[in-house]
Amino acid sequence: MKDWADLSTELLPQVLQDFVRLVGLPATMKLVERHGGRRLYIPINPAPEHQLAELIGFENLLKLSAVYGLEDHFDIPKAVAALRHLRDQNIRAQYGPKSASKLAEEFNLTERQIWNIVGRAANETTHQSQLFG
């Protein structure tokens, strides 16, 4: 299970923000991991054995069903911006003790992408200090 504590929920698409309010961030992100980018049907009267109940828990499925069970299928966003932001935070936190080469290998990116991610953080810090300094 991933740690979603550092995920910036305001970067999530609105439907996922609504899910977070209903069932919490871990259950929402399990849905994104399993069904992101695809259509999903939330049953009106789910059974405890339903595949979504097994994924996020029956109580959470009942909460989603109460709000979304009357709708037809709808798309579950992939949450690309939020996940990229979280990935970039992790890369910045690990850069220094780990080399750009090692991070590129771990995150399946190029070294240039690692340097760009780390460089963006430095540029943002410099820009902010110029604005507020």
Side-chain angles (χ1 to χ4, degrees):
M1 180 175 167
K2 292 185 181 179
D3 178 21
W4 300 108
D6 293 330
L7 183 68
S8 182
T9 56
E10 63 269 4
L11 294 175
L12 291 172
Q14 187 60 53
V15 69
L16 295 181
Q17 290 181 32
D18 295 341
F19 279 23
V20 169
R21 282 190 284 283
L22 283 171
V23 300
L25 187 58
T28 299
M29 296 314 294
K30 285 180 184 179
L31 287 170
V32 170
E33 286 181 319
R34 178 80 54 86
H35 298 284
R38 298 191 334 235
R39 302 203 76 164
L40 181 68
Y41 173 75
I42 297 176
I44 295 171
N45 297 310
E49 305 81 30
H50 192 278
Q51 66 171 346
L52 291 176
E54 293 176 10
L55 179 64
I56 64 172
F58 186 58
E59 292 299 316
N60 285 334
L61 179 54
L62 288 175
K63 291 175 188 175
L64 288 177
S65 179
V67 176
Y68 297 98
L70 296 176
E71 294 186 27
D72 195 7
H73 295 76
F74 60 94
D75 295 325
I76 296 293
K78 292 177 74 172
V80 173
L83 294 175
R84 184 178 300 127
H85 181 77
L86 183 62
R87 179 204 66 192
D88 291 356
Q89 281 182 318
N90 288 333
I91 288 170
R92 290 181 193 115
Q94 295 179 46
Y95 184 75
K98 291 186 179 180
S99 68
S101 176
K102 182 69 176 167
L103 290 169
E105 180 182 330
E106 287 179 22
F107 288 91
N108 196 30
L109 299 171
T110 66
E111 285 184 50
R112 181 179 301 275
Q113 287 172 299
I114 300 295
W115 294 325
N116 287 338
I117 290 166
V118 172
R120 272 196 305 272
N123 289 339
E124 290 169 5
T125 303
T126 302
H127 180 70
Q128 288 177 356
S129 66
Q130 290 172 347
L131 288 174
F132 301 109

